[in-house]
Amino acid sequence: MEVVLTEWASALIRWTHVIAGIAWIGSSFYFIHLDLSLRPRAGLPPGVKGEAWQVHGGGFYHMVKYLVAPPNLPDHLTWFKWEAYATWLSGFGLLVVVYYFNAEMFLVDRSVLDLSPNAAIAMSLGMLLVPWLAYEIACRSPLGKSEIALALVGYVFLVGVTYAYTQIFSGRGAFVQIGALVGTIMVANVFVVIIPNQKKIVAAMLGGTDPNPAWGEVGKQRSVHNNYLTLPVVFLMISTHYPLMFATRYNWIIVAILLLMGPAIRHFYNRRHEGKEGPLWTWAAAAVGALVIVWLSAMGTPGVKVGEGPAPKFAAVQEIVTSRCSMCHASEPVWSGIVFPPKAIRLDTADNIRGHRHEIEIQAVRSNAMPPGNITGMTVDERSIVAAWLAAGAAKD
Ligand code: HEC
């Protein structure tokens, strides 16, 4: 019964998370576009930066932006914050249900670091909190005064943290952790800086004093960070479904490249929304980044020789799969806590093994995503034997 409940909790929380994320990123893209497309015009009310005309859903919208705030606060004011908070809350729920409930399988890899599941969970929480605090301090320090310096230091910092994660957690755990960190930074920017500063502005106006323009500027700086982090965070969240990215040797360099590709593409759109020519170098850079990622991901995992050596007998391969995979991937799994063959993949007969040869290649030969956390201790030699069998045409004799 417990398994059924966890399965449904996971599905419902994931649904909420994806919808909240769409709402958040959607409104964020919308406002960035709106902000950049505002045009000044003579005759606009005082304090207005510019106006924009838009057409959608059968009507025309006439938007104006007050730089600090309008002279009189409207009675009805819509705040955009719950999309962000709901994304974080559901994301954290998902982290708990998928990764903390199954820490042994998805967070820990004892060949990386011999952690107990509870220690791994504690590390995961601490390693979310501490890097976020470091980011917060950096933004408020003199470094935060220079956009470029902060961006460069921030980039090196994120890559360093990613590398540290890959030395603590399984590849998959490390990727979800860096995704969660970037997501946490983004939501905290809304929760700790953008919204509170906006509230201070409103309070100052209601109190009849002039709001401090610095409140708005700091909020804007964090918005820019969020803008450039959007594409990488979404990629990191889906990357945990792609073993070649998270479970190969250069996984942390792949993240380092992604953290550059996303902002490059974002930059193209930012320029276009300003009504300028989108710089094409951004796409060229992103394309080169994508090629390098593909190449890096094909480097496999240390020690596994892909496509070398004499073709082994199928019996040897079946023996490996039976002893390393079938305890979970069988019609009636014998692994405690696993009730159905995961993802409906059964590797318990010769036909099933051959039928799933491409999945086996991706999950256990070219990457070490399976067995999860190498929980059944599949050796490098065993992976190489399966590799040689695949390279020789995966015959069933
Ligand atoms: C301890 C249990 C366990 C063992 C052992 C195990 N797996 Fe898995 N496998 C899982 C779980 C759990 C999932 C589902 C992962 C998820 O939810 O993303 C899975 C998923 C898969 C998938 C589907 C991946 C996808 O996202 O579609 C394949 C293919 C696979 N395993 C192959 C293997 C191979 C090959 C081996 C042996 C080398 C193996 N597994 C060993 C538990 C196991």
Side-chain angles (χ1 to χ4, degrees):
M1 192 60 195
E2 198 190 314
V3 203
V4 176
L5 290 179
T6 329
E7 187 78 355
W8 278 102
S10 161
L12 294 176
I13 300 174
R14 194 178 298 260
W15 190 17
T16 314
H17 186 56
V18 171
I19 299 292
I22 291 173
W24 181 26
I25 293 178
S27 61
S28 146
F29 279 179
Y30 171 76
F31 279 105
I32 292 162
H33 176 281
L34 174 62
D35 214 47
L36 294 172
S37 65
L38 293 167
R39 296 287 172 270
R41 167 174 72 77
L44 287 172
V48 166
K49 177 186 171 193
E51 66 175 359
W53 281 92
Q54 300 175 341
V55 57
H56 184 79
F60 288 83
Y61 295 80
H62 183 203
M63 322 292 285
V64 287
K65 178 178 181 181
Y66 288 82
L67 265 191
V68 181
N72 297 308
L73 272 187
D75 297 334
H76 177 71
L77 188 58
T78 308
W79 290 82
F80 286 84
K81 56 181 182 184
W82 276 106
E83 304 80 352
Y85 302 165
T87 306
W88 191 87
L89 290 171
S90 52
F92 188 74
L94 208 51
L95 184 69
V96 171
V97 172
V98 178
Y99 288 86
Y100 294 179
F101 285 5
N102 300 300
E104 183 96 54
M105 252 194 286
F106 295 142
L107 204 53
V108 178
D109 181 341
R110 287 183 199 268
S111 62
V112 172
L113 193 66
D114 194 359
L115 284 177
S116 71
N118 284 341
I121 294 169
M123 285 289 249
S124 160
L125 291 169
M127 289 290 282
L128 272 185
L129 187 67
V130 173
W132 167 68
L133 276 175
Y135 162 81
E136 199 54 45
I137 292 168
C139 288
R140 290 166 193 251
S141 76
L143 185 67
K145 300 276 179 294
S146 157
E147 282 291 319
I148 301 284
L150 185 64
L152 285 176
V153 172
Y155 173 74
V156 173
F157 172 73
L158 278 181
V159 173
V161 172
T162 304
Y163 180 76
Y165 286 164
T166 60
Q167 304 303 304
I168 299 174
F169 305 109
S170 67
R172 186 170 156 171
F175 268 52
V176 82
Q177 183 82 16
I178 186 72
L181 172 64
V182 175
T184 300
I185 287 176
M186 293 171 69
V187 176
N189 279 341
V190 178
F191 185 66
V192 180
V193 176
I194 299 173
I195 294 289
N197 280 11
Q198 200 70 254
K199 291 228 153 109
K200 281 190 215 160
I201 294 173
V202 171
M205 291 192 54
L206 291 177
T209 53
D210 277 342
N212 180 351
W215 293 333
E217 282 158 24
V218 173
K220 180 73 200 161
Q221 181 191 40
R222 302 300 181 96
S223 283
V224 170
H225 293 179
N226 282 8
N227 175 3
Y228 282 107
L229 289 173
T230 325
L231 298 189
V233 80
V234 174
F235 195 96
L236 288 168
M237 290 306 170
I238 55 176
S239 70
T240 54
H241 300 280
Y242 295 94
L244 290 185
M245 285 174 208
F246 68 77
T248 47
R249 176 189 319 218
Y250 298 115
N251 54 4
W252 66 277
I253 306 182
I254 292 179
V255 173
I257 296 172
L258 276 170
L259 288 173
L260 294 174
M261 281 167 68
I265 297 172
R266 216 36 234 139
H267 186 64
F268 173 86
Y269 285 103
N270 289 342
R271 292 296 293 239
R272 275 221 353 192
H273 296 164
E274 273 178 286
K276 298 189 182 136
E277 193 77 11
L280 286 177
W281 66 261
T282 54
W283 284 103
V288 172
L291 287 175
V292 177
I293 285 183
V294 172
W295 177 70
L296 286 173
S297 73
M299 308 288 262
T301 60
V304 177
K305 299 183 193 68
V306 174
E308 286 175 33
K313 288 267 168 240
F314 178 67
V317 171
Q318 191 167 16
E319 165 69 31
I320 293 170
V321 173
T322 308
S323 61
R324 304 298 185 199
C325 318
S326 313
M327 50 285 266
C328 297
H329 292 284
S331 20
E332 286 181 19
V334 293
W335 195 269
S336 116
I338 300 225
V339 187
F340 311 101
K343 302 266 160 160
I345 305 266
R346 283 172 28 212
L347 302 171
D348 47 0
T349 64
D351 282 335
N352 282 341
I353 294 174
R354 212 186 111 72
H356 287 301
R357 62 190 178 284
H358 298 304
E359 282 110 319
I360 295 177
E361 178 170 355
I362 293 286
Q363 300 278 344
V365 172
R366 291 187 175 272
S367 82
N368 55 15
M370 285 288 146
N374 204 8
I375 209 161
T376 51
M378 188 170 186
T379 66
V380 168
D381 288 343
E382 287 170 340
R383 293 186 199 272
S384 300
I385 292 172
V386 180
W389 169 71
L390 288 164
K396 231 171 43 181
D397 53 34

Short mmCIF file of all heavy atoms in Angstrom, two decimals, residues 132-184:
data_model
loop_
_atom_site.label_atom_id
_atom_site.label_comp_id
_atom_site.label_asym_id
_atom_site.label_seq_id
_atom_site.Cartn_x
_atom_site.Cartn_y
_atom_site.Cartn_z
N TRP A 132 23.52 28.58 -1.16
CA TRP A 132 22.57 29.68 -1.35
C TRP A 132 22.98 30.87 -0.49
O TRP A 132 22.98 32.01 -0.95
CB TRP A 132 21.13 29.26 -1.01
CG TRP A 132 20.25 30.46 -0.92
CD1 TRP A 132 19.90 31.29 -1.94
CD2 TRP A 132 19.71 31.04 0.28
NE1 TRP A 132 19.17 32.35 -1.47
CE2 TRP A 132 19.03 32.22 -0.10
CE3 TRP A 132 19.72 30.68 1.63
CZ2 TRP A 132 18.38 33.04 0.82
CZ3 TRP A 132 19.07 31.48 2.54
CH2 TRP A 132 18.41 32.65 2.13
N LEU A 133 23.35 30.61 0.77
CA LEU A 133 23.80 31.69 1.66
C LEU A 133 25.02 32.40 1.06
O LEU A 133 25.10 33.63 1.08
CB LEU A 133 24.17 31.13 3.04
CG LEU A 133 23.01 30.95 4.01
CD1 LEU A 133 23.50 30.27 5.28
CD2 LEU A 133 22.37 32.31 4.32
N ALA A 134 25.94 31.61 0.51
CA ALA A 134 27.14 32.21 -0.09
C ALA A 134 26.74 33.15 -1.23
O ALA A 134 27.29 34.26 -1.37
CB ALA A 134 28.07 31.11 -0.60
N TYR A 135 25.79 32.72 -2.04
CA TYR A 135 25.31 33.57 -3.15
C TYR A 135 24.71 34.86 -2.61
O TYR A 135 25.00 35.96 -3.10
CB TYR A 135 24.27 32.79 -3.97
CG TYR A 135 23.40 33.64 -4.85
CD1 TYR A 135 23.85 34.08 -6.10
CD2 TYR A 135 22.12 34.03 -4.44
CE1 TYR A 135 23.05 34.87 -6.91
CE2 TYR A 135 21.31 34.82 -5.24
CZ TYR A 135 21.77 35.24 -6.47
OH TYR A 135 20.99 36.04 -7.26
N GLU A 136 23.90 34.72 -1.58
CA GLU A 136 23.22 35.87 -0.99
C GLU A 136 24.25 36.88 -0.45
O GLU A 136 24.14 38.08 -0.67
CB GLU A 136 22.32 35.33 0.14
CG GLU A 136 21.21 36.21 0.61
CD GLU A 136 20.28 36.71 -0.48
OE1 GLU A 136 19.86 35.92 -1.35
OE2 GLU A 136 19.97 37.92 -0.46
N ILE A 137 25.26 36.35 0.23
CA ILE A 137 26.30 37.22 0.79
C ILE A 137 27.06 37.91 -0.35
O ILE A 137 27.32 39.11 -0.30
CB ILE A 137 27.26 36.41 1.70
CG1 ILE A 137 26.49 35.96 2.96
CG2 ILE A 137 28.48 37.23 2.09
CD1 ILE A 137 27.22 34.92 3.80
N ALA A 138 27.40 37.14 -1.39
CA ALA A 138 28.14 37.72 -2.52
C ALA A 138 27.35 38.85 -3.16
O ALA A 138 27.91 39.91 -3.48
CB ALA A 138 28.46 36.64 -3.55
N CYS A 139 26.05 38.67 -3.32
CA CYS A 139 25.23 39.72 -3.96
C CYS A 139 25.20 40.98 -3.12
O CYS A 139 25.16 42.09 -3.65
CB CYS A 139 23.80 39.24 -4.16
SG CYS A 139 23.61 38.02 -5.43
N ARG A 140 25.23 40.81 -1.80
CA ARG A 140 25.15 41.99 -0.92
C ARG A 140 26.52 42.61 -0.65
O ARG A 140 26.60 43.69 -0.08
CB ARG A 140 24.52 41.59 0.43
CG ARG A 140 23.02 41.26 0.27
CD ARG A 140 22.49 40.55 1.49
NE ARG A 140 21.18 39.97 1.22
CZ ARG A 140 20.05 40.42 1.72
NH1 ARG A 140 20.06 41.43 2.53
NH2 ARG A 140 18.90 39.83 1.41
N SER A 141 27.58 41.90 -1.03
CA SER A 141 28.94 42.39 -0.78
C SER A 141 29.32 43.39 -1.88
O SER A 141 28.57 43.57 -2.84
CB SER A 141 29.93 41.23 -0.78
OG SER A 141 30.14 40.84 -2.12
N PRO A 142 30.49 44.03 -1.77
CA PRO A 142 30.92 44.95 -2.83
C PRO A 142 30.95 44.28 -4.21
O PRO A 142 30.74 44.94 -5.23
CB PRO A 142 32.33 45.36 -2.40
CG PRO A 142 32.35 45.16 -0.92
CD PRO A 142 31.43 44.03 -0.63
N LEU A 143 31.18 42.98 -4.24
CA LEU A 143 31.17 42.26 -5.51
C LEU A 143 29.85 42.45 -6.25
O LEU A 143 29.81 42.54 -7.48
CB LEU A 143 31.40 40.76 -5.22
CG LEU A 143 31.54 39.83 -6.41
CD1 LEU A 143 32.82 40.13 -7.16
CD2 LEU A 143 31.53 38.38 -5.96
N GLY A 144 28.77 42.52 -5.47
CA GLY A 144 27.43 42.66 -6.05
C GLY A 144 27.24 43.96 -6.81
O GLY A 144 26.27 44.11 -7.56
N LYS A 145 28.17 44.91 -6.63
CA LYS A 145 28.03 46.20 -7.33
C LYS A 145 28.36 46.06 -8.81
O LYS A 145 27.91 46.85 -9.63
CB LYS A 145 28.97 47.25 -6.72
CG LYS A 145 28.74 47.52 -5.24
CD LYS A 145 27.64 48.55 -5.04
CE LYS A 145 27.36 48.83 -3.57
NZ LYS A 145 26.80 47.67 -2.86
N SER A 146 29.19 45.06 -9.14
CA SER A 146 29.57 44.91 -10.54
C SER A 146 28.88 43.68 -11.14
O SER A 146 29.15 42.55 -10.74
CB SER A 146 31.09 44.77 -10.67
OG SER A 146 31.40 44.12 -11.88
N GLU A 147 28.00 43.93 -12.09
CA GLU A 147 27.24 42.85 -12.73
C GLU A 147 28.17 41.77 -13.30
O GLU A 147 27.97 40.58 -13.10
CB GLU A 147 26.41 43.41 -13.89
CG GLU A 147 25.16 44.11 -13.45
CD GLU A 147 24.14 43.15 -12.89
OE1 GLU A 147 23.98 42.05 -13.46
OE2 GLU A 147 23.53 43.48 -11.85
N ILE A 148 29.19 42.24 -14.04
CA ILE A 148 30.07 41.32 -14.75
C ILE A 148 30.89 40.49 -13.77
O ILE A 148 30.96 39.26 -13.89
CB ILE A 148 31.04 42.11 -15.69
CG1 ILE A 148 30.23 42.93 -16.70
CG2 ILE A 148 32.01 41.18 -16.39
CD1 ILE A 148 29.62 42.14 -17.83
N ALA A 149 31.48 41.16 -12.77
CA ALA A 149 32.31 40.43 -11.80
C ALA A 149 31.45 39.41 -11.07
O ALA A 149 31.85 38.25 -10.88
CB ALA A 149 32.94 41.41 -10.81
N LEU A 150 30.24 39.81 -10.69
CA LEU A 150 29.36 38.90 -9.95
C LEU A 150 28.99 37.71 -10.83
O LEU A 150 28.98 36.56 -10.38
CB LEU A 150 28.10 39.65 -9.51
CG LEU A 150 27.14 38.86 -8.63
CD1 LEU A 150 27.80 38.50 -7.30
CD2 LEU A 150 25.85 39.66 -8.36
N ALA A 151 28.73 37.98 -12.12
CA ALA A 151 28.36 36.89 -13.03
C ALA A 151 29.51 35.90 -13.17
O ALA A 151 29.31 34.68 -13.13
CB ALA A 151 27.96 37.46 -14.40
N LEU A 152 30.74 36.44 -13.33
CA LEU A 152 31.89 35.55 -13.51
C LEU A 152 32.15 34.71 -12.26
O LEU A 152 32.29 33.49 -12.33
CB LEU A 152 33.15 36.37 -13.83
CG LEU A 152 33.21 36.91 -15.26
CD1 LEU A 152 34.44 37.79 -15.43
CD2 LEU A 152 33.22 35.77 -16.27
N VAL A 153 32.17 35.39 -11.10
CA VAL A 153 32.40 34.67 -9.85
C VAL A 153 31.26 33.66 -9.62
O VAL A 153 31.49 32.52 -9.23
CB VAL A 153 32.53 35.66 -8.66
CG1 VAL A 153 32.58 34.92 -7.34
CG2 VAL A 153 33.78 36.51 -8.84
N GLY A 154 30.04 34.10 -9.89
CA GLY A 154 28.88 33.22 -9.70
C GLY A 154 28.99 31.98 -10.57
O GLY A 154 28.69 30.86 -10.13
N TYR A 155 29.45 32.16 -11.80
CA TYR A 155 29.58 31.02 -12.71
C TYR A 155 30.61 30.02 -12.18
O TYR A 155 30.33 28.82 -12.07
CB TYR A 155 29.97 31.51 -14.12
CG TYR A 155 30.28 30.38 -15.06
CD1 TYR A 155 29.25 29.59 -15.57
CD2 TYR A 155 31.59 30.06 -15.40
CE1 TYR A 155 29.52 28.52 -16.40
CE2 TYR A 155 31.87 29.00 -16.22
CZ TYR A 155 30.84 28.23 -16.72
OH TYR A 155 31.12 27.16 -17.53
N VAL A 156 31.79 30.53 -11.84
CA VAL A 156 32.85 29.65 -11.34
C VAL A 156 32.38 28.94 -10.06
O VAL A 156 32.61 27.75 -9.86
CB VAL A 156 34.15 30.47 -11.08
CG1 VAL A 156 35.21 29.61 -10.41
CG2 VAL A 156 34.67 31.03 -12.40
N PHE A 157 31.67 29.70 -9.24
CA PHE A 157 31.15 29.14 -7.99
C PHE A 157 30.18 27.98 -8.28
O PHE A 157 30.29 26.90 -7.70
CB PHE A 157 30.46 30.27 -7.22
CG PHE A 157 29.72 29.83 -6.00
CD1 PHE A 157 30.40 29.43 -4.86
CD2 PHE A 157 28.33 29.81 -5.97
CE1 PHE A 157 29.72 29.02 -3.72
CE2 PHE A 157 27.63 29.41 -4.84
CZ PHE A 157 28.34 29.02 -3.71
N LEU A 158 29.24 28.19 -9.21
CA LEU A 158 28.26 27.14 -9.51
C LEU A 158 28.94 25.89 -10.07
O LEU A 158 28.58 24.76 -9.75
CB LEU A 158 27.21 27.64 -10.50
CG LEU A 158 26.06 28.46 -9.91
CD1 LEU A 158 25.09 28.86 -11.01
CD2 LEU A 158 25.31 27.68 -8.83
N VAL A 159 29.95 26.11 -10.92
CA VAL A 159 30.67 24.95 -11.48
C VAL A 159 31.41 24.22 -10.36
O VAL A 159 31.39 22.98 -10.28
CB VAL A 159 31.64 25.40 -12.60
CG1 VAL A 159 32.50 24.23 -13.06
CG2 VAL A 159 30.86 25.97 -13.78
N GLY A 160 32.02 24.99 -9.46
CA GLY A 160 32.73 24.37 -8.33
C GLY A 160 31.78 23.57 -7.46
O GLY A 160 32.09 22.44 -7.06
N VAL A 161 30.61 24.14 -7.19
CA VAL A 161 29.63 23.42 -6.36
C VAL A 161 29.17 22.15 -7.08
O VAL A 161 29.03 21.08 -6.47
CB VAL A 161 28.42 24.33 -6.04
CG1 VAL A 161 27.32 23.56 -5.35
CG2 VAL A 161 28.86 25.50 -5.17
N THR A 162 28.98 22.25 -8.40
CA THR A 162 28.57 21.07 -9.17
C THR A 162 29.63 19.97 -9.02
O THR A 162 29.31 18.80 -8.78
CB THR A 162 28.43 21.41 -10.67
OG1 THR A 162 27.53 22.48 -10.79
CG2 THR A 162 27.93 20.22 -11.46
N TYR A 163 30.89 20.36 -9.17
CA TYR A 163 31.96 19.37 -9.05
C TYR A 163 31.91 18.74 -7.66
O TYR A 163 31.99 17.51 -7.52
CB TYR A 163 33.33 20.03 -9.30
CG TYR A 163 34.45 19.03 -9.17
CD1 TYR A 163 34.68 18.10 -10.19
CD2 TYR A 163 35.23 18.97 -8.02
CE1 TYR A 163 35.68 17.15 -10.06
CE2 TYR A 163 36.22 18.02 -7.88
CZ TYR A 163 36.45 17.11 -8.90
OH TYR A 163 37.42 16.16 -8.77
N ALA A 164 31.73 19.57 -6.64
CA ALA A 164 31.66 19.04 -5.27
C ALA A 164 30.49 18.04 -5.15
O ALA A 164 30.64 16.95 -4.58
CB ALA A 164 31.49 20.18 -4.27
N TYR A 165 29.35 18.38 -5.73
CA TYR A 165 28.20 17.47 -5.67
C TYR A 165 28.54 16.12 -6.30
O TYR A 165 28.14 15.08 -5.80
CB TYR A 165 27.00 18.07 -6.43
CG TYR A 165 26.28 19.21 -5.74
CD1 TYR A 165 25.41 20.03 -6.46
CD2 TYR A 165 26.44 19.47 -4.38
CE1 TYR A 165 24.73 21.08 -5.86
CE2 TYR A 165 25.76 20.53 -3.78
CZ TYR A 165 24.91 21.33 -4.52
OH TYR A 165 24.23 22.35 -3.94
N THR A 166 29.28 16.16 -7.44
CA THR A 166 29.58 14.89 -8.12
C THR A 166 30.55 14.05 -7.29
O THR A 166 30.72 12.87 -7.57
CB THR A 166 30.16 15.09 -9.53
OG1 THR A 166 31.38 15.84 -9.42
CG2 THR A 166 29.20 15.81 -10.46
N GLN A 167 31.22 14.68 -6.30
CA GLN A 167 32.12 13.92 -5.44
C GLN A 167 31.40 13.43 -4.18
O GLN A 167 32.00 12.77 -3.34
CB GLN A 167 33.32 14.79 -5.01
CG GLN A 167 34.10 15.38 -6.18
CD GLN A 167 34.61 14.30 -7.12
OE1 GLN A 167 35.32 13.39 -6.71
NE2 GLN A 167 34.23 14.38 -8.40
N ILE A 168 30.14 13.81 -4.04
CA ILE A 168 29.39 13.42 -2.83
C ILE A 168 28.24 12.48 -3.18
O ILE A 168 28.03 11.46 -2.53
CB ILE A 168 28.81 14.68 -2.14
CG1 ILE A 168 29.93 15.62 -1.71
CG2 ILE A 168 27.94 14.29 -0.93
CD1 ILE A 168 29.44 16.96 -1.16
N PHE A 169 27.48 12.85 -4.23
CA PHE A 169 26.26 12.11 -4.56
C PHE A 169 26.47 11.27 -5.82
O PHE A 169 27.47 11.41 -6.52
CB PHE A 169 25.11 13.09 -4.81
CG PHE A 169 24.88 14.05 -3.67
CD1 PHE A 169 25.20 15.40 -3.79
CD2 PHE A 169 24.36 13.60 -2.46
CE1 PHE A 169 24.99 16.29 -2.73
CE2 PHE A 169 24.15 14.48 -1.40
CZ PHE A 169 24.46 15.82 -1.54
N SER A 170 25.47 10.44 -6.11
CA SER A 170 25.46 9.73 -7.40
C SER A 170 25.33 10.78 -8.49
O SER A 170 24.93 11.92 -8.21
CB SER A 170 24.27 8.79 -7.45
OG SER A 170 23.08 9.54 -7.48
N GLY A 171 25.63 10.43 -9.73
CA GLY A 171 25.52 11.39 -10.83
C GLY A 171 24.12 11.99 -10.88
O GLY A 171 23.94 13.19 -10.99
N ARG A 172 23.15 11.11 -10.75
CA ARG A 172 21.76 11.59 -10.82
C ARG A 172 21.45 12.50 -9.64
O ARG A 172 20.83 13.57 -9.80
CB ARG A 172 20.83 10.38 -10.84
CG ARG A 172 19.40 10.77 -11.05
CD ARG A 172 18.52 9.59 -11.31
NE ARG A 172 17.17 9.96 -10.94
CZ ARG A 172 16.10 9.24 -11.17
NH1 ARG A 172 16.22 8.07 -11.76
NH2 ARG A 172 14.93 9.65 -10.80
N GLY A 173 21.90 12.10 -8.45
CA GLY A 173 21.71 12.92 -7.26
C GLY A 173 22.37 14.28 -7.42
O GLY A 173 21.80 15.31 -7.07
N ALA A 174 23.58 14.28 -7.99
CA ALA A 174 24.32 15.53 -8.16
C ALA A 174 23.56 16.47 -9.10
O ALA A 174 23.47 17.67 -8.87
CB ALA A 174 25.72 15.26 -8.70
N PHE A 175 22.99 15.92 -10.18
CA PHE A 175 22.30 16.77 -11.14
C PHE A 175 21.02 17.35 -10.55
O PHE A 175 20.69 18.52 -10.76
CB PHE A 175 22.00 16.00 -12.43
CG PHE A 175 23.10 16.15 -13.46
CD1 PHE A 175 24.42 15.89 -13.11
CD2 PHE A 175 22.83 16.54 -14.75
CE1 PHE A 175 25.44 16.03 -14.04
CE2 PHE A 175 23.84 16.69 -15.70
CZ PHE A 175 25.15 16.44 -15.34
N VAL A 176 20.27 16.52 -9.80
CA VAL A 176 19.04 17.07 -9.24
C VAL A 176 19.40 18.10 -8.17
O VAL A 176 18.72 19.12 -8.00
CB VAL A 176 18.12 15.96 -8.69
CG1 VAL A 176 18.52 15.51 -7.30
CG2 VAL A 176 16.67 16.45 -8.68
N GLN A 177 20.52 17.89 -7.50
CA GLN A 177 20.95 18.80 -6.45
C GLN A 177 21.34 20.16 -7.03
O GLN A 177 20.94 21.20 -6.50
CB GLN A 177 22.12 18.16 -5.70
CG GLN A 177 22.65 18.93 -4.54
CD GLN A 177 21.85 18.74 -3.26
OE1 GLN A 177 21.06 17.81 -3.13
NE2 GLN A 177 22.03 19.65 -2.32
N ILE A 178 22.06 20.17 -8.13
CA ILE A 178 22.46 21.47 -8.70
C ILE A 178 21.21 22.17 -9.28
O ILE A 178 21.05 23.39 -9.16
CB ILE A 178 23.62 21.35 -9.73
CG1 ILE A 178 24.12 22.72 -10.19
CG2 ILE A 178 23.29 20.54 -10.94
CD1 ILE A 178 24.89 23.46 -9.16
N GLY A 179 20.31 21.36 -9.85
CA GLY A 179 19.04 21.94 -10.32
C GLY A 179 18.28 22.56 -9.16
O GLY A 179 17.76 23.68 -9.25
N ALA A 180 18.23 21.81 -8.04
CA ALA A 180 17.51 22.31 -6.86
C ALA A 180 18.18 23.57 -6.31
O ALA A 180 17.51 24.50 -5.88
CB ALA A 180 17.45 21.23 -5.80
N LEU A 181 19.51 23.61 -6.36
CA LEU A 181 20.21 24.79 -5.84
C LEU A 181 19.88 26.02 -6.70
O LEU A 181 19.53 27.08 -6.17
CB LEU A 181 21.73 24.57 -5.81
CG LEU A 181 22.55 25.81 -5.48
CD1 LEU A 181 22.25 26.31 -4.07
CD2 LEU A 181 24.05 25.55 -5.64
N VAL A 182 19.98 25.85 -8.02
CA VAL A 182 19.70 26.99 -8.90
C VAL A 182 18.24 27.43 -8.71
O VAL A 182 17.93 28.62 -8.59
CB VAL A 182 20.00 26.65 -10.38
CG1 VAL A 182 19.59 27.79 -11.29
CG2 VAL A 182 21.49 26.35 -10.56
N GLY A 183 17.32 26.45 -8.62
CA GLY A 183 15.91 26.77 -8.39
C GLY A 183 15.72 27.49 -7.06
O GLY A 183 14.97 28.46 -6.96
N THR A 184 16.43 27.04 -6.03
CA THR A 184 16.31 27.66 -4.71
C THR A 184 16.81 29.11 -4.75
O THR A 184 16.17 30.02 -4.21
CB THR A 184 17.11 26.85 -3.67
OG1 THR A 184 16.57 25.53 -3.64
CG2 THR A 184 17.03 27.47 -2.29
#
